[in-house]
Amino acid sequence: MDQTFINTINRNKFDNQEFKNGFRAGAEYKDQMEKRIRDLESVLLEFIGYGDEWLLTKAGLNKRTKSVLVDMIIDQRNLARTLYNKLDEDTKKKLKSEIEMCVWPGDKE
């Protein structure tokens, strides 16, 4: 009986520690997701031209990690591509021509 009681106490301690570990991991994941949502909001607000207060400054960009900056660039590319794909064919051709003129200015027609 004493051994059963000791085993029960040890099991409860183990379960308690596992719960704390799981709770901490969940809290860290929640914080990461909230930061990711703020970063995506910032990308969208920058993209729609919400004013200079939404633009990340050089100092703000320097504070970000490389992986966060890469995620931001990929998000911006995906957003631009999605919007481009929603354009009608004539607008796409005109935009493509204007961009090509900026990239290869010697090839103006």
Side-chain angles (χ1 to χ4, degrees):
M1 176 131 175
D2 289 334
Q3 188 60 34
T4 305
F5 184 69
I6 291 171
N7 288 344
T8 302
I9 290 174
N10 287 337
R11 181 69 187 160
N12 284 343
K13 286 181 184 177
F14 177 78
D15 288 346
N16 187 29
Q17 187 59 41
E18 289 298 304
F19 175 78
K20 287 180 183 176
N21 291 343
F23 183 81
R24 265 188 237 114
E28 288 173 8
Y29 181 77
K30 176 186 163 277
D31 291 343
Q32 290 172 355
M33 289 300 103
E34 286 176 347
K35 185 173 181 332
R36 178 83 173 120
I37 289 169
R38 283 193 307 271
D39 289 343
L40 285 171
E41 287 174 348
S42 177
V43 166
L44 291 171
L45 291 171
E46 276 185 48
F47 191 81
I48 62 172
Y50 226 79
D52 288 344
E53 69 271 11
W54 289 102
L55 295 175
L56 291 172
T57 61
K58 187 173 183 176
L61 290 170
N62 283 331
K63 291 179 187 176
R64 310 280 174 139
T65 64
K66 184 177 179 180
S67 66
V68 169
L69 293 171
V70 168
D71 287 342
M72 289 174 68
I73 291 168
I74 290 171
D75 291 339
Q76 290 170 343
R77 286 180 181 173
N78 287 336
L79 180 59
R81 187 174 294 124
T82 298
L83 293 173
Y84 177 79
N85 288 335
K86 291 184 181 283
L87 298 174
D88 61 84
E89 289 303 315
D90 290 337
T91 306
K92 282 183 185 180
K93 286 179 185 176
K94 181 179 176 190
L95 183 59
K96 181 179 177 183
S97 174
E98 289 176 11
I99 291 172
E100 287 173 345
M101 286 173 52
C102 292
V103 173
W104 300 297
D107 295 345
K108 292 181 182 177
E109 295 176 4

